[in-house]
Amino acid sequence: MNRPEGNPDEKGLDQNKGTTSVFRNTQAADLSAESRLLSAFRKDTHACRVYLAGRECLNEDGGIFHLGLVQKIKQQMSRDPTLSLQHPSVLGLSEFNRRANEVAVGRSSTALVENRVLGIQTPGFTGAVRLAAELLKSWYDATRAWDGPLYLSSPCDDMLCDIFQAAGIRDIRRFRYWSDEQCGVCLENLLEDLEEAPEASVIVLSASGHYPTGADLSQDQWRIITQLAVRRKLFPVLLLPTPPLCSGDPWRDAWPVQYCVSLGMELFCVQSFSHSFGLHGEAVGHLLCVPKSSSLLRAVRSQAEKLAQTLWAPPCTTGAHVVAAVLSNPAHLAEWRLEVTQAVERCMLVREVLRERLRLLGTPGNWDHLTQQRGLYCCLGMNGQQVDFLAKQRHVYVLPGGCLNISAINGRNLDYIAESIYQCLTTRTPH
């Protein structure tokens, strides 16, 4: 028997030695602020280290927020053989889209009755943003290849800018949103910047749960902004990243969307149900499109179907089935809202206790804004040196500006975090 003259794979490797790789000029991507923080945190061996820059909704034990109801529904689904036989549309599960539409615009919305609401299931929040960007690029202005201007809040999720740019929208501008002096939204600056926006610009606004500050617009502020948007013919893309983790009521969190639709405004709304259903591994997103008339819906739908086919296969329906099962069943809905309300109340209690701890320590400044902000995120209003002090001297990791995930604070670390903030603002080094 003849012995083979060496392993073919090894021979191929020998032949490739010395050849130049086609990837030779590929450069590593710049790390985001979140990635850099997480890397530094993982290298930190301090016993009291605290990571407050994550996006997940956490429970009092520091684990991912999970709902007993969701686990029960998943078990029921695993025993239902008919679910695996369904072939989903490229636009996703129809019952999920119907229920998600109702969350955004309200069950009794005139737009639903008039059949001018299109809902599309997407692979998570970022998938919905990307599809919205592609739709804007392809049909927002049919006379040319539209590439902006598109306005994002300052600060905002850095990922938003990357997604719109990846879709070919290059003219991205900022409008002032957060004010360090006011420790909240500065409406005057926001209106001034949007007043200068060219007509037919796109404005991306947080409907609730603004990331990363947790500072949301009031209903009176929304009324003023929508007047400007209508007058200046601005197209809104509204973000609902964590409904209903601001108020415990999904329809209340979505009030700005419902208000804009009631005025007859055309808009996009981007939603995510991952946080509020504990579906972090299943990425359940939704894009809502509301044109002025039902006659426009067929063209919009066909464009969405074509674009979705190029971006992803039909999205996974497991998480969508769970959301649809909850939103369509009154008993499930009541149980889900109870569990979510408990998470919301815990975050509000953390805000109140943290504010009181800072007051008792004599921490400089007024900390009432902690309880005025809502949802998972809040902003302490810190400069870069103070943020560095927290990380390097106290091993407390927060985002730029002192923005953090309030659900990551619990009974075990709250006192340490309060003392760290106090030391940061009373030590001369960081100022």
Side-chain angles (χ1 to χ4, degrees):
M1 181 175 177
N2 294 328
R3 183 183 296 273
E5 296 180 2
N7 189 310
D9 292 336
E10 293 177 356
K11 186 175 181 180
L13 289 172
D14 290 336
Q15 290 175 345
N16 286 330
K17 283 183 178 179
T19 60
T20 303
S21 172
V22 296
F23 302 104
R24 64 188 180 276
N25 293 324
T26 302
Q27 298 181 354
D30 294 333
L31 293 177
S32 65
E34 291 177 68
S35 298
R36 290 193 298 270
L37 276 175
L38 185 57
S39 176
F41 172 76
R42 286 172 173 169
K43 294 176 182 176
D44 194 336
T45 58
H46 195 274
C48 294
R49 63 177 186 159
V50 185
Y51 187 70
L52 302 179
R55 296 175 185 249
E56 298 85 358
C57 181
L58 305 181
N59 57 32
E60 177 62 21
D61 297 326
I64 299 293
F65 171 66
H66 288 295
L67 294 91
L69 172 64
V70 169
Q71 302 307 314
K72 181 171 62 178
I73 292 175
K74 283 185 175 182
Q75 291 175 359
Q76 293 172 351
M77 288 170 53
S78 67
R79 296 191 294 267
D80 186 349
T82 63
L83 291 179
S84 61
L85 299 177
Q86 298 178 5
H87 183 72
S89 160
V90 70
L91 298 185
L93 190 69
S94 59
E95 181 65 11
F96 164 78
N97 285 328
R98 186 163 75 91
R99 298 301 177 179
N101 290 347
E102 291 176 350
V103 168
V105 302
R107 292 168 172 168
S108 59
S109 171
T110 303
L112 286 175
V113 176
E114 295 173 348
N115 191 33
R116 54 186 181 89
V117 176
L118 174 65
I120 306 157
Q121 181 192 342
T122 64
F125 184 79
T126 56
V129 174
R130 180 58 186 266
L131 182 57
E134 295 288 349
L135 284 169
L136 289 171
K137 178 187 171 185
S138 63
W139 61 263
Y140 182 70
D141 187 345
T143 62
R144 62 185 176 91
W146 189 83
D147 64 353
L150 180 141
Y151 284 79
L152 298 173
S153 67
S154 178
C156 73
D157 189 342
D158 292 338
M159 188 167 50
L160 292 174
C161 184
D162 294 339
I163 294 172
F164 284 111
Q165 286 181 337
I169 299 175
R170 303 300 177 190
D171 187 358
I172 297 178
R173 309 178 189 182
R174 300 284 183 143
F175 62 87
R176 289 168 291 174
Y177 187 85
W178 171 267
S179 167
D180 286 329
E181 292 75 20
Q182 299 180 18
C183 287
V185 179
C186 181
L187 183 64
E188 293 78 9
N189 289 342
L190 186 155
L191 294 174
E192 181 180 338
D193 291 345
L194 293 186
E195 190 69 56
E196 296 177 358
E199 283 193 357
S201 295
V202 173
I203 53 171
V204 181
L205 293 164
S206 174
S208 69
H210 181 267
Y211 179 88
T213 69
D216 289 334
L217 298 163
S218 69
Q219 291 189 3
D220 288 340
Q221 289 173 327
W222 271 108
R223 292 186 176 95
I224 296 171
I225 292 170
T226 51
Q227 289 176 1
L228 185 153
V230 170
R231 177 169 51 82
R232 299 288 301 157
K233 299 178 182 178
L234 306 178
F235 182 88
V237 176
L238 305 181
L239 307 180
L240 275 170
T242 60
L245 288 173
C246 287
S247 67
D249 183 336
W251 291 277
R252 182 178 174 185
D253 278 11
W255 181 89
V257 185
Q258 298 158 18
Y259 179 69
C260 289
V261 172
S262 72
L263 297 178
M265 297 175 66
E266 294 184 304
L267 57 82
F268 282 155
C269 175
V270 175
Q271 297 186 87
S272 172
F273 295 90
S274 300
H275 289 81
S276 57
F277 283 82
L279 297 169
H280 296 284
E282 277 129 316
V284 185
H286 181 260
L287 175 65
L288 178 99
C289 175
V290 184
K292 281 194 175 296
S293 66
S294 59
S295 62
L296 300 170
L297 210 60
R298 174 179 289 185
V300 176
R301 182 185 180 92
S302 66
Q303 288 285 352
E305 288 177 337
K306 183 177 179 180
L307 288 167
Q309 286 172 340
T310 66
L311 293 171
W312 53 72
C316 176
T317 58
T318 303
H321 273 296
V322 171
V323 176
V326 171
L327 296 179
S328 62
N329 183 308
H332 287 343
L333 180 61
E335 186 175 346
W336 171 65
R337 289 182 62 178
L338 177 61
E339 289 194 77
V340 170
T341 298
Q342 291 172 349
V344 171
E345 290 175 348
R346 189 186 84 81
C347 286
M348 286 305 302
L349 179 60
V350 168
R351 291 177 182 276
E352 292 169 1
V353 175
L354 179 60
R355 181 188 63 177
E356 184 63 10
R357 291 286 196 279
L358 292 173
R359 185 189 69 80
L360 292 175
L361 287 169
T363 311
N366 186 325
W367 297 95
D368 288 344
H369 63 279
L370 290 179
T371 54
Q372 294 166 357
Q373 298 162 3
R374 303 187 307 159
L376 294 182
Y377 313 111
C378 77
C379 188
L380 302 175
M382 292 182 165
N383 60 41
Q385 290 178 316
Q386 291 166 341
V387 170
D388 287 343
F389 177 90
L390 282 179
K392 295 176 181 178
Q393 303 299 322
R394 298 293 296 176
H395 311 275
V396 175
Y397 295 84
V398 299
L399 291 165
C403 296
L404 56 87
N405 183 337
I406 201 75
S407 73
I409 302 177
N410 53 53
R412 297 188 306 276
N413 59 29
L414 190 146
D415 285 339
Y416 180 77
I417 292 169
E419 292 168 4
S420 298
I421 295 171
Y422 168 78
Q423 289 192 20
C424 176
L425 297 178
T426 56
T427 303
R428 290 189 176 185
T429 304
H431 295 283

